[in-house]
Every structure is written in C-alpha cells, then in structure tokens.
Amino acid sequence: MLSIIIPAYQDPFLQKTIDSLLKASRGSVEVIAVLDGYTPKQPLKADLRVKVIKYSHNRGMRAAINAGIARARGKFIMKCD
C-alpha cells in the first residue's frame, strides 16, 4: 500500500488534489490530509481511502508531515504539497 501525505494550510485546491491522486492511483492507496490550523471552505468528500488530521492552530509543515507519517499504514510513503 502507498500512503500519500498532504500537509495543507489554506489550500484552495486540496479536494482537487485528493481527487486527482485517487483517480491516478493503481492498487491500494491511502491519502492522509493534514489540515494545519484551518478548515476548508467546502468540506472534503467522504472516502474510505482518505484520512483527515485537523489541528486547531498552525503547527508548521514539518509537524504536519510527521503527524501524517505517524498515521500512515502503507509500506511506501509519499509527500505531496
């Protein structure tokens, strides 16, 4: 399985990025979106392959990446920002 970590801070294209990654994936994949101190204007679509980690305040990109890696279950990990 491939785990894709997306650290996000005020990203207007987060849902499009997730949709694109899921569409292009072949095989088993999980997407972990880390919302670093914000809430998207439109809620993210529910999908069993997508996990969301939400922080109430901005902790920075490195902390967001590390949080995503800690939740990842895949044999391989990819970061997409």
Side-chain angles (χ1 to χ4, degrees), residues 30-80:
E30 72 174 344
V31 174
I32 302 171
V34 184
L35 306 178
D36 194 16
Y38 88 108
T39 301
K41 291 181 182 179
Q42 297 292 327
L44 297 176
K45 296 177 190 173
D47 190 308
L48 294 176
R49 299 170 291 175
V50 178
K51 296 178 184 173
V52 178
I53 300 172
K54 184 175 179 183
Y55 290 126
S56 59
H57 63 281
N58 185 279
R59 297 176 72 181
M61 184 181 286
R62 178 56 46 200
I65 293 167
N66 288 339
I69 290 171
R71 292 272 311 266
R73 295 183 349 214
K75 181 177 180 181
F76 300 101
I77 296 175
M78 176 182 131
K79 177 183 70 92
C80 179

